[in-house]
Amino acid sequence: MKGLVILLAFLLASPSAFAISRTCTRLIDPPRVNQNTQLCADNYYPHNYPQGISIASDDLTLDCGTGVLHGKFKNSGIVIENRKGITLKNCQIANYETGIIIKN
């Protein structure tokens, strides 16, 4: 029992033992996601993403985190076309004609 208490105290004292390294991505032109991606906490504006973000591979997750995609009231914020196994999480999309478009 004493060993368990010591182990528990050690684990609680060192949270880095359980820390998961999460890196975020700032998309660049062309804005294509072809692997699991987590966006950085930021605002993404249409001068960088006029056509929105295109999902370019199957079986992936796009986690927008606290990032927000802003448009110019045209096009789509996220385009998923001819893809399967796509997961979108926490995506905030503002001012696009269509927030998310899914085809086929």
Side-chain angles (χ1 to χ4, degrees):
M1 182 70 169
K2 183 178 178 183
L4 180 62
V5 171
I6 291 172
L7 177 62
L8 183 59
F10 173 75
L11 292 176
L12 291 174
S14 57
S16 63
F18 293 107
I20 297 173
S21 175
R22 289 193 145 218
T23 58
C24 64
T25 301
R26 295 190 191 285
L27 297 176
I28 57 172
D29 287 327
R32 296 187 179 280
V33 175
N34 58 12
Q35 62 185 0
N36 290 333
T37 302
Q38 180 170 348
L39 296 181
C40 296
D42 205 347
N43 289 294
Y44 298 88
Y45 290 101
H47 58 276
N48 293 325
Y49 310 100
Q51 303 298 321
I53 295 174
S54 177
I55 305 298
S57 293
D58 294 332
D59 303 313
L60 63 80
T61 297
L62 171 60
D63 185 349
C64 297
T66 58
V68 180
L69 303 174
H70 297 274
K72 286 188 176 180
F73 299 98
K74 57 184 176 179
N75 303 319
S76 299
I78 298 175
V79 178
I80 305 170
E81 188 170 357
N82 299 319
R83 299 288 165 217
K84 63 180 180 174
I86 304 301
T87 301
L88 299 177
K89 296 168 72 174
N90 306 313
C91 293
Q92 298 179 59
I93 303 167
N95 305 330
Y96 280 94
E97 183 178 22
T98 304
I100 301 168
I101 190 163
I102 302 171
K103 293 182 182 178
N104 297 330

